């Protein structure tokens, strides 16, 4: 379990690198929201993409998800699937309304 | 009586109990915030686009808070790493920092809330809308009626409430103070959760998130203070505890990573 | 390993009914032992006692409502004056007012589902049996386990207290649909929401604990496919609780915000209350609540049925003296059931103006989910085939469960199609459907389990004769209550009407000169009476059970063996009752869960922890 001091230094360096990328991601996010793009929807998409990158880094490196056990992946996989279903099906149900009155 | 696998991992599953426990808990947290975010989406698409607010929150403060949480995530990781190489003092320093950052986050968040409760939209009898910050501490509609007038600063005056929806590229509000007589006030409401659904879901999401921060901070404070006695008796188990609480803390950070753009930036 | 292998087979030689109790207990004092215990068995029993009390309470609410339905506006015998004394004007002259009816209805559902049945299945059975059946000495997180009971208890207190506040308890059904739930002027709804947040937190802690226990603490040799089916059912049900409850918690918090701070996330624009436009911002989405609610509540119905199926499977295997037929199909069936149950929820919402595309999706998934249900039921039925069945009380309840669950499940199919559901929705047909699954279904399974595991928990047997009386009376009255409801529902009688449908009856139309087709006929209305007296009968039928239960705890005949039913699973290989820490020596498992009547073996069962002769 004990790691050598050399490992520890590497680890610290890597951690700082992660920190820098999260900061970058954050500023990118803010930048993307104010960027003068022609289509405002693009801002939204860019901001969300930047957010996802940040989340990816946090989940992958800080929460060690890149090197977890299969069992935990499986569980999170199901969770992700159900979350997506919750989003998708409520969304579709909300928008799938009869356009003409059916008698 | 000893419960197995509190310290070492069970060979066939590869994890120790608390690690599995916290991931199960986090899975349920994903569903919790998943439900809230899907509520956000439905409320947002259910509102006419010209009415959905943009730029109502202070992006500078939001960014600052994002940076604070990101830093605290790093200190959390370093605290755990310090325990791994048996540097207990470093652990104390790093997690001390985590706690300070958490408190700073909450302080900033509460000033933001405070701002919303002093921010009023006043519909006047002539139909015009004055929108600004109250100069006196607190005032409700009845009180204003008694004192006869209300004083605002940082005021915008508009014809229609739609004009207040998208403030991302709007001119900054006027600097001076504006007095409005009680007789001219038709309706007066601050920017609490009842103001509209954006604020409703904003308060719901951020209060719930802040409660998570608070809960996480209490756990970390325990592990920093009285709980750290365990380091002397069962160092590996203590390290596991720090790892597991760290996972929770990273998750809370993760939620904020989505809350920030969704509420502040889009 | 070799030395201890004999010690955990049946009939521990130096058996003493209560030696387990003293054996591992250091004197921890009354509070630590019984109230703030972290022993999973004590917590299980705490859950059991609290939840049984709520079960009785929920039932008595319904009994009073059935009187009001059958005799609207007439003072309730016996209970009426008491209600007036306790609750005041809502029960003036002992008559149940419509408001009170609504409160009782909403709370009946809430209490039965969240405070009685789930705590019995997951809290009592899950806590007590799962660690025993997997050969663990406790749950993975004992302290968390204690906390989850405490949250449940607080939630229960909050719910119960709401009856006595001005305005009374929540009145908008157990489903609490806004806008209605939010605009009824009582704080009962707020109490309901706060209570729910506690109950949800309790369930989340409890279910994470059960999953972690099953994954991490299985005894050596207890592979996944050697788990008793009951453990599997708990495993799946816990996942349902873990992942389906949080969205309802989210919705609950949002409704709490609406209720307490005056936001309007569930209140639409232009909402009018009592003929006046409500003073709210509007723009909210009431259907959003329904989505988030049913996202939980459909999986919840499988939380109500899966552990019940688990109990029944254990009882059947034991009393047919045969392995379960199709063990793997049962396991995969319940996994499939669990998975699908997350994506069928909107079949409760066909009547919300849902479009055809999404309705098709949900109709399809609903039909798909009935396949694993049928597989499970078929396996259990087939398990009976060719067995030399022991008809004791637990087995009678388990056997009755099968057709009752069958009726409940099959009547769900017409509800799963939007074309037929548009007619049946919110009628007594739906009430009959789900009660067939949960009342003569799940509750019978709970009874079966109580009679079955009572000797393990108490060291004494329950009386067999009174058990049978309890069973036969319950069986008859249950069916007399719920069967007529199918007829009423098909005739168009709506649920949640405080006058039992009088205002829609043909005789009322006639008397008031209303010209309308489809008034409820006299026969249909008369069934209200049948149901009332059947419900009274069902209540009386529980008296033998209650007396038998308490009498047997103190005076029942002591068991003469640790394994009185000659069962194979690990919980029977412990001292009786098991002490803190459960097993005298940590068990190892050598075989599947149901090795009954193995050819060539001298006795007709082989316990899971009994090693093979060859290996020994
Ligand atoms: C496998 C077959 C099943 C199918 C196809 C089915 C289908 C349905 C449908 C479509 C509804 C909505 C009816 C309406 O409101 O108009 C419903 C209601 C209900 N079902 Fe089932 N169901 C099945 C099994 C179960 C089981 C196993 C349980 C419980 C243990 C259950 C409990 C309920 C409850 C509690 C409701 C009513 C909720 C309410 O509106 O208050 N169902 N079922
Ligand atoms: Cu359903």
């Amino acid at each position: 379990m004990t790691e050598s001091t050399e490992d520890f230094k590497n680890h610290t360096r890597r951690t700082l690198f992660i920190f820098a990328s999260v900061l970058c991601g954050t500023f990118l996010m803010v930048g993307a929201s104010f960027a003068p793009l022609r289509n405002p929807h693009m801002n939204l998409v860019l901001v969300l993409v930047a957010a996802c990158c940040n989340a990816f880094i946090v989940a992958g490196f800080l929460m060690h998800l890149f090197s977890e056990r299969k069992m935990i992946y499986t569980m999170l996989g199901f969770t992700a699937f159900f979350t997506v279903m919750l989003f998708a099906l409520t969304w579709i149900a909300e928008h799938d309304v009869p356009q003409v009155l059916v008698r | 009586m000893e419960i197995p696998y509190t310290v070492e991992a069970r060979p066939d599953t590869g994890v120790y109990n608390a690690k599995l426990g916290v991931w199960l808990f986090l899975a349920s947290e994903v569903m919790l915030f998943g439900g809230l975010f899907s509520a956000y989406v439905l409320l947002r698409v259910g509102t006419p686009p010209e009415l959905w607010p943009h730029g109502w929150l202070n992006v500078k403060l939001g960014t600052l808070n994002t940076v604070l949480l990101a830093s605290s995530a790093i200190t959390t990781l370093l605290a755990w790493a310090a325990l791994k190489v048996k540097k207990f003092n470093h652990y104390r320093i790093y997690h001390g920092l985590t706690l300070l950052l958490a408190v700073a986050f909450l302080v900033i968040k509460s000033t933001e809330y405070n701002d919303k409760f002093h921010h009023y939209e006043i519909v006047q009898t002539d139909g015009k809308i004055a929108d600004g910050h109250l100069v006196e501490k607190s005032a409700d509609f009845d009180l204003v009626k008694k004192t006869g007038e209300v004083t605002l600063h940082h005021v915008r005056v508009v014809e229609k409430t739609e004009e207040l929806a998208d403030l991302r590229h709007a001119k900054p509000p006027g600097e001076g103070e504006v007095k409005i007589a009680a007789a001219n006030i038709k309706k007066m409401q601050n920017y609490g959760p009842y103001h509209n659904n954006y604020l409703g879901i904003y308060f719901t999401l951020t209060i719930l998130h802040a409660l998570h921060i608070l809960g996480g901070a209490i756990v970390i404070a325990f592990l920093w203070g009285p709980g750290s006695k365990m380091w002397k008796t069962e160092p590996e188990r203590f390290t596991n505890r720090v790892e597991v609480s760290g996972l929770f803390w990273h998750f809370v950070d993760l939620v904020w990573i989505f809350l920030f753009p969704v509420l502040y930036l889009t | 390993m070799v030395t201890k292998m004999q010690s955990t087979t049946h009939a521990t030689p130096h058996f003493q009914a209560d030696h387990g109790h003293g054996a591992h207990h250091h004197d921890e004092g009354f509070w630590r032992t019984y109230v703030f215990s972290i022993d999973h068995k004590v917590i299980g029993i705490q859950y059991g006692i609290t939840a049984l009390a709520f079960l009785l309470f929920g039932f008595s609410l319904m009994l009073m409502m059935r009187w009001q339905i059958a005799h609207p506006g007439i003072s309730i015998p016996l209970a009426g004056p008491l209600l007036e004394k306790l609750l005041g004007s809502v029960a003036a002259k002992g008559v149940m007012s419509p408001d009170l009816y609504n409160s009782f209805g909403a709370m009946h559902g809430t209490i039965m589902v969240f405070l009685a049945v789930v705590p019995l299945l997951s809290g009592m059975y899950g806590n007590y049996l799962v660690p025993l059946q997997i050969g663990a000495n406790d749950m993975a997180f004992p302290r968390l386990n204690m906390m989850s009971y405490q949250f449940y208890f607080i939630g229960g207190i909050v719910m119960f207290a709401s009856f006595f506040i001005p305005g009374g308890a929540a009145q908008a059904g157990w489903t609490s649909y806004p806008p209605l739930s939010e605009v009824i002027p009582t704080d009962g709804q707020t109490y309901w929401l706060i209570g729910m947040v506690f109950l949800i937190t309790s369930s989340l802690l409890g279910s994470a604990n059960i999953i972690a226990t099953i994954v991490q603490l299985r005894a050596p040799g207890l592979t996944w496919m050697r788990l008793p089916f009951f453990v599997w059912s708990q495993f799946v049900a816990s996942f349902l609780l873990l992942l389906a409850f949080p969205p309802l918690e989210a919705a609950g918090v949002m409704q709490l915000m609406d209720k307490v701070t005056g936001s309007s996330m569930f209140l639409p624009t232009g909402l009018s209350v009592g003929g006046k436009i409500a003073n709210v911002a509007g723009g909210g989405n009431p259907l959003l609540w329904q989505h988030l609610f049913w996202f939980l509540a459909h999986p919840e119905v499988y939380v109500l049925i899966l552990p019940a199926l688990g109990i029944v499977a254990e009882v059947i295997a034991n009393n047919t003296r045969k392995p379960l037929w199709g063990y793997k199909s049962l396991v995969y069936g319940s996994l499939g059931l669990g998975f699908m149950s997350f994506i069928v929820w909107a079949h409760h919402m066909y009547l919300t103006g849902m479009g055809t595309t999404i309705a098709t999706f949900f109709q399809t998934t609903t039909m798909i989910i009935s396949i694993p249900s049928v597989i499970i039921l078929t396996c259990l039925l087939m398990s009976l085939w060719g067995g030399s069945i022991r008809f004791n009380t637990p087995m009678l309840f388990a056997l009755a469960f099968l057709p009752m669950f069958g009726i409940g499940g099959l009547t769900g199919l017409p509800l799963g199609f939007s074309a037929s559901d548009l007619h049946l929705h919110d009628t007594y047909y739906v009430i009959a459907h789900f009660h067939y699954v949960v009342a003569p279904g799940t509750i019978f399974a709970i009874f079966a389990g109580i009679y079955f595991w009572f000797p393990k928990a108490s060291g004494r047997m329950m009386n067999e004769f009174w058990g049978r009386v309890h069973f036969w009376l319950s069986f008859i009255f249950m069916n007399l209550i719920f069967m007529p409801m199918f007829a009423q529902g098909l005739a168009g009688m709506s649920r949640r009407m405080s006058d039992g449908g009088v205002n829609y009856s043909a005789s009322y139309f006639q008397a008031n000169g209303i010209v309308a087709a489809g008034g409820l006929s006299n026969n249909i209305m008369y069934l209200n009476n049948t149901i009332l007296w059947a419900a009274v009968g069902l209540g009386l039928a529980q008296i033998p059970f209650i007396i038998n239960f308490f009498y047997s705890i103190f005076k029942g005949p002591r068991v003469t063996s640790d394994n009185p039913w000659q069962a194979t699973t690990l919980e029977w290989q412990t001292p009786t009752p098991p002490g803190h820490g459960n097993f005298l020596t940590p068990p190892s498992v050598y075989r599947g869960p149901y090795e009954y009547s193995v050819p060539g073996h001298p006795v007709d069962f082989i316990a899971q922890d009994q090693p093979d002769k060859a290996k020994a």
Side-chain angles (χ1 to χ4, degrees):
Chain A
M1 273 248 164
T2 38
E3 288 163 32
S4 70
T5 324
E6 193 51 35
D7 276 355
F8 180 64
K9 277 207 182 110
N10 274 339
H11 184 265
T12 313
R13 211 173 304 128
R14 211 183 60 165
T15 309
L16 290 178
F17 184 72
I18 294 168
F19 182 50
S21 12
V22 172
L23 286 191
C24 280
T26 307
F27 293 120
L28 268 181
M29 205 147 66
V30 179
S33 83
F34 287 101
L37 301 176
R38 208 170 306 132
N39 182 350
H41 288 294
M42 268 326 277
N43 291 73
L44 195 141
V45 172
L46 284 180
V47 168
L48 289 183
V49 168
C52 287
C53 291
N54 253 1
F56 194 69
I57 296 172
V58 170
F61 291 109
L62 298 185
M63 301 173 88
H64 307 298
L65 263 192
F66 288 149
S67 53
E68 250 320 332
R69 300 286 157 176
K70 184 160 151 267
M71 183 184 56
I72 290 182
Y73 287 145
T74 315
M75 188 188 71
L76 291 180
F78 278 112
T79 311
F81 176 77
F82 295 142
T83 317
V84 169
M85 284 321 240
L86 174 62
F87 270 85
L89 294 174
T90 44
W91 171 281
I92 299 173
E94 188 70 13
H95 288 87
D96 179 28
V97 278
Q99 292 304 310
V100 278
L101 204 62
V102 187
R103 278 168 200 280
Chain B
M1 191 192 80
E2 274 289 311
I3 293 179
Y5 309 120
T6 46
V7 178
E8 81 282 21
R10 181 179 161 116
D12 57 345
T13 61
V15 291
Y16 54 90
N17 296 347
K19 178 93 157 257
L20 177 62
V22 82
W23 273 113
L24 288 167
F25 177 63
L26 291 185
S28 87
E29 292 279 84
V30 169
M31 297 304 294
L32 174 71
F33 283 99
L36 285 168
F37 275 110
S38 82
Y40 167 88
V41 172
L42 282 207
L43 288 175
R44 179 164 175 170
V45 297
T47 308
E50 66 277 10
L51 284 180
W52 188 257
H54 300 275
W56 280 23
L57 299 172
N58 188 328
V59 175
K60 281 189 200 115
L61 288 181
T63 314
L64 178 59
N65 257 351
T66 312
V67 173
L68 289 183
L69 273 196
S71 318
S72 79
I74 297 298
T75 57
T76 307
L77 194 72
L78 291 176
W80 173 66
L83 286 184
K84 280 277 192 189
V85 292
K86 309 248 180 284
K87 292 190 175 161
F88 185 70
N89 288 338
H90 284 74
Y91 159 78
R92 285 291 280 265
I93 295 172
Y94 285 130
H95 248 359
L97 280 175
T98 311
L99 283 173
L100 287 180
L101 290 165
V103 171
F105 177 92
L106 288 177
V107 168
I108 291 177
K109 197 73 225 143
S110 46
T111 58
E112 286 187 81
Y113 286 151
N114 193 38
D115 179 76
K116 286 280 162 281
F117 286 112
H118 285 88
H119 188 174
Y120 275 79
E121 183 185 74
I122 298 180
V123 184
Q124 288 161 291
T125 39
D126 61 0
K128 284 214 173 96
I129 298 170
D131 180 271
H133 282 74
L134 208 65
V135 172
E136 283 92 328
K137 270 256 166 65
S138 76
D140 58 53
F141 194 37
D142 293 329
L143 196 74
V144 170
K145 266 193 174 156
K146 266 183 219 132
T147 50
E149 64 175 18
V150 56
T151 315
L152 300 175
H153 63 146
H154 288 100
V155 188
R156 288 191 172 93
V157 180
V158 295
E159 301 285 332
K160 281 188 304 187
T161 176
E162 281 88 328
E163 295 171 46
L164 292 170
D166 190 349
L167 299 180
R168 274 177 299 187
H169 307 288
K171 276 192 308 212
E175 279 298 328
E177 291 191 352
V178 174
K179 288 193 194 314
I180 301 169
N184 288 338
I185 298 178
K186 207 162 95 188
K187 186 182 166 209
M188 170 171 174
Q189 192 181 49
N190 65 11
Y191 279 54
Y194 28 77
H195 194 68
N196 61 20
N197 283 322
Y198 168 76
L199 287 169
I201 194 80
Y202 161 74
F203 275 100
T204 312
L205 278 165
T206 53
I207 289 176
L208 220 55
H209 178 261
L211 287 176
H212 278 78
I213 294 270
L214 193 64
I218 289 174
V219 171
I220 289 176
F222 172 77
L223 292 177
W224 185 82
S228 67
K229 278 197 212 99
M230 195 192 241
W231 174 251
K232 296 227 176 62
T233 52
E234 294 173 274
E236 306 230 316
R237 189 161 176 207
F238 182 68
T239 312
N240 283 351
R241 284 193 172 180
V242 171
E243 180 184 11
V244 160
S245 60
L247 280 174
F248 175 75
W249 192 256
H250 292 311
F251 177 79
V252 178
D253 181 26
L254 201 68
V255 171
W256 180 259
I257 284 178
F258 286 106
L259 282 181
F260 172 57
V262 155
L263 295 169
Y264 288 72
L265 297 181
T266 60
Chain C
M1 284 238 169
V2 185
T3 47
K4 68 149 208 277
M5 73 197 185
Q6 298 300 5
S7 68
T8 43
T9 51
H10 65 110
T12 319
H14 50 275
F15 170 77
Q16 256 180 21
D18 53 1
H19 72 163
H21 218 86
H24 298 265
H25 258 290
H26 323 292
D27 26 21
E28 296 201 325
F30 172 81
W31 292 96
R32 273 303 180 95
T33 317
Y34 297 107
V35 182
F36 296 107
S37 172
I38 54 170
D39 180 347
H40 71 103
K41 296 179 296 299
V42 178
I43 297 172
I45 290 171
Q46 288 173 336
Y47 263 115
I49 292 173
T50 322
L52 283 173
F54 272 117
L55 190 69
L56 190 64
F57 179 55
F59 178 77
S60 25
L61 291 181
M62 184 39 80
L63 210 52
M64 293 183 260
M65 291 168 71
R66 285 312 317 185
W67 173 270
Q68 161 75 7
I69 287 172
H71 304 285
I74 296 174
S75 171
I76 309 171
L78 305 175
L82 188 68
L83 277 187
E84 187 176 10
K85 206 174 266 166
L86 284 174
L87 302 174
S89 61
V90 283
K93 300 209 184 75
V95 177
M96 185 183 285
S97 65
D99 282 351
L100 190 62
Y101 179 89
N102 289 343
S103 276
F104 278 17
M107 295 312 281
H108 163 77
T110 308
I111 287 171
M112 287 309 206
V113 174
F114 297 114
L115 285 162
V117 176
V118 172
L120 281 170
L121 293 174
S122 296
M124 176 171 86
Y125 285 115
N127 258 310
Y128 197 94
L129 289 176
V130 166
L132 288 177
Q133 288 201 332
I134 64 170
N137 50 11
D138 207 315
M139 296 285 258
F141 311 110
R143 218 165 292 276
L144 217 58
N145 203 16
M146 175 179 78
M147 271 168 62
S148 70
Y149 172 73
Q150 288 164 350
F151 277 122
Y152 159 65
F153 190 77
I154 297 172
I157 297 281
V158 172
M159 291 285 187
F160 186 73
S162 73
F163 280 97
F164 304 102
I165 61 168
Q171 294 175 14
W174 80 288
T175 51
S176 282
Y177 282 5
L180 182 65
S181 60
E182 292 183 15
V183 300
I184 296 175
T186 162
D187 287 335
Q189 187 64 26
T190 313
Y191 276 65
W192 188 89
L193 292 163
I194 294 174
M196 281 307 289
V197 170
F198 277 107
L199 294 177
I200 294 173
T201 311
S202 154
S203 274
L204 292 178
L205 295 181
S207 54
N209 211 342
I210 289 180
I211 298 171
T213 306
I214 296 175
V215 174
Q216 291 289 99
L217 302 189
R218 276 167 295 127
L222 190 53
T223 56
W224 287 97
M225 282 301 155
R226 283 176 176 174
L227 285 179
F229 180 63
F230 176 79
V231 176
W232 271 109
S233 70
Q234 286 286 339
F235 185 71
V236 178
S238 299
F239 260 110
L240 298 186
L241 286 176
L242 187 78
L243 299 182
F245 243 141
L248 178 62
E249 186 156 35
V253 171
M254 285 167 69
Q255 194 176 114
L256 198 61
M257 287 291 281
D258 274 10
K259 205 54 198 170
V260 175
T261 72
S263 61
S264 59
M265 288 178 277
F266 293 128
L267 299 178
T269 306
L271 174 70
S272 101
V273 180
K276 273 192 291 188
I277 295 289
N279 180 25
V280 292
N285 188 340
L287 285 188
L288 174 59
W289 168 270
Q290 297 194 19
H291 280 297
L292 295 176
F293 181 85
W294 288 113
F295 187 85
L296 159 80
H298 186 84
E300 178 85 0
V301 307
Y302 288 96
V303 173
L304 297 174
I305 202 69
L306 272 171
L309 289 163
I311 295 170
V312 168
E314 299 300 308
V315 174
I316 285 184
N318 179 257
N319 287 307
T320 53
R321 315 304 294 163
K322 252 160 56 61
L324 284 179
W325 192 87
Y327 170 81
K328 282 204 171 157
S329 314
L330 282 169
V331 170
Y332 291 123
S334 35
L335 288 173
L337 206 63
F339 178 79
M340 289 304 292
S341 72
F342 280 98
I343 45 175
V344 299
W345 77 84
H347 64 209
H348 296 269
M349 297 167 60
Y350 290 140
L351 211 64
T352 57
M354 180 184 275
T356 45
T357 319
I358 195 76
T360 308
F361 177 87
F362 282 110
Q363 291 177 75
T364 314
T365 52
T366 304
M367 290 309 119
I368 293 176
I369 201 174
S370 55
I371 298 171
S373 317
V374 172
I375 292 179
I376 292 177
L377 188 60
T378 313
C379 287
L380 292 175
L381 277 173
M382 292 295 287
S383 297
L384 304 176
W385 189 263
S388 55
I389 299 176
R390 300 195 301 212
F391 287 99
N392 46 30
T393 310
M395 189 59 175
L396 288 175
F397 275 108
L399 285 177
F401 170 93
L402 299 176
M404 298 296 104
F405 173 63
I407 294 177
L410 291 178
T411 52
L413 296 181
L415 299 175
F417 292 108
S418 66
S420 37
D421 184 58
L422 295 188
H423 174 65
L424 296 171
H425 180 70
D426 267 351
T427 67
Y428 268 92
Y429 182 92
V430 175
I431 306 290
H433 152 66
F434 70 77
H435 280 88
Y436 258 98
V437 224
V438 284
T442 301
I443 292 188
F444 274 14
I446 288 173
F447 282 137
I450 289 180
Y451 284 100
F452 188 65
W453 280 291
F454 189 88
K456 179 47 69 181
S458 70
R460 291 168 193 267
M461 303 293 284
M462 284 178 82
N463 182 294
E464 188 59 29
F465 172 77
W466 289 108
R468 282 163 200 242
V469 170
H470 175 216
F471 166 73
W472 282 108
L473 291 180
S474 297
F475 181 71
I476 292 167
F477 286 126
M478 278 283 188
N479 282 286
L480 281 176
I481 294 174
F482 294 116
M483 196 57 86
M485 291 189 192
F486 283 122
Q488 291 187 321
L490 287 167
M493 186 189 281
S494 291
R495 67 197 279 198
R496 294 178 175 150
M497 289 190 303
S498 69
D499 64 354
V502 168
N503 274 304
Y504 296 94
S505 65
S507 54
Y508 179 86
F509 287 176
Q510 228 160 25
N512 291 277
I514 300 170
V515 185
L520 299 167
S521 72
N522 285 341
N523 286 344
I524 290 293
M525 293 300 293
Y526 184 78
L527 289 175
N528 280 341
N529 243 316
T530 316
I531 295 173
L532 167 65
W533 294 110
V536 172
L538 182 65
L540 295 176
Q542 304 315 304
I543 292 175
F545 168 71
I546 295 172
I547 295 178
N548 191 353
F549 186 83
F550 284 106
Y551 181 84
S552 304
I553 289 181
F554 302 106
K555 292 273 166 64
R558 283 180 191 251
V559 288
T560 50
S561 138
D562 280 332
N563 188 358
W565 308 112
Q566 306 202 303
T568 50
T569 41
L570 289 180
E571 79 270 33
W572 300 103
Q573 322 306 330
T574 59
T576 309
H580 198 44
N582 298 342
F583 293 88
L584 295 178
T585 47
S588 292
V589 171
Y590 300 93
R591 55 189 73 249
Y594 304 114
E595 303 218 343
Y596 288 106
S597 306
V598 177
H601 197 76
V603 281
D604 73 342
F605 71 103
I606 315 177
Q608 281 195 280
D609 61 347
Q610 198 169 325
D612 283 335
K613 280 246 164 57
K615 274 188 205 152

